Amino acid sequence: MIIAIANQKGGVGKTTTAVNLAASIAISEKKTLLVDMDAQCNATSGVGISYGKVPSHLYDGLINKKKIGEIILKTQVPHLDLAPSHPDLVGAEVELLETEGREMILKELLGPARERYPYIIIDCPPSLGLLTVNALAAADSVIVPLQCEYYALEGLVLLLKTITILKKRVNPHLEILGVLLTMFDKRNNLSFRVMEEARRHLGNKVFRTVIPRNVRLSEAPSYGKPAILYDSSSKGAESYLQLAAEISNGGR
């Protein structure tokens, strides 16, 4: 299963979700590949790997035609591998414009990895550009992180429209696996209002699992570790383990 983590807005917990969901699935001894499609390389550093030290990266696969097996690296999490990013990906958007079948390059690149990894998690850039289109074209399903803050639902409407268009034109098999409420603060009435609105409009498309605001979850990336390695007893780590279990058990 290939799952894209997508939202055109930044700061919604997208990379946090990609890294920690991938690690939580891998901890259950399921081979998992984390694909960092964001030129900021935060998912790469989030599992303790410096983009400056990798021999090959996704830009090489998308533009220079390297095979996915030449790009993948092992991480410190058992059963979790990484296809690392690089700042050069910024230029890939422009370079791919002249490429025939430009929306399908990532799908072709990841093809051989499907046999090896039951789960492939793609961290998309915070935009609806060509790299995100590639991720959604390659994916079986998409998880949309939705921060429990003002205006959150407005951005969601645009993304859902884009997914509908892509489903018609590029990937008819793409499904919304779920909307994930992130940065939930139980001390804040706004968090509860956003939750109520999301569940009212989207029903069972909203995951039961809710990701809280959590200090340990925020600290973990600076140590190059998913929360499950940084502090497995933290609320943030526990919530992503719950999300992994919810996905494994077939949804909401």
Side-chain angles (χ1 to χ4, degrees), residues 5-26:
I5 314 296
N7 193 321
Q8 76 275 17
K9 293 182 69 176
V12 299
K14 181 180 53 59
T15 298
T16 298
T17 295
V19 168
N20 288 287
L21 175 59
S24 296
I25 293 171

Side-chain angles (χ1 to χ4, degrees), residues 14 17 20 42 66 76 84 88-89 142 149 154 156 206 228 246 251:
K14 181 180 53 59
T17 295
N20 288 287
N42 290 334
K66 282 204 172 185
Q76 59 193 315
D88 285 352
L89 269 180
V142 55
E149 295 177 357
E154 289 185 9
L156 178 64
V206 181
I228 193 73
E246 190 172 344

Side-chain angles (χ1 to χ4, degrees), residues 166-233:
L166 285 173
K167 187 168 181 176
K168 289 178 180 177
R169 297 181 182 176
V170 177
N171 184 0
H173 304 294
L174 183 65
E175 299 292 344
I176 297 173
L177 188 58
V179 173
L180 177 66
L181 297 172
T182 63
M183 305 179 189
F184 183 85
D185 187 346
K186 63 182 180 182
R187 301 165 300 177
N188 187 335
N189 287 336
L190 180 58
S191 286
F192 286 98
R193 287 206 300 274
V194 171
M195 177 190 283
E196 289 168 8
E197 283 289 299
R199 295 197 190 282
R200 184 161 65 87
H201 288 291
L202 301 166
N204 65 0
K205 282 295 182 187
V206 181
F207 285 107
R208 290 193 303 271
T209 302
V210 174
I211 309 300
R213 283 196 180 275
N214 180 252
V215 172
R216 307 300 270 174
L217 193 58
S218 300
E219 290 175 347
S222 64
Y223 291 87
K225 293 181 177 181
I228 193 73
L229 290 190
Y230 180 62
D231 185 351
S232 61
S233 64

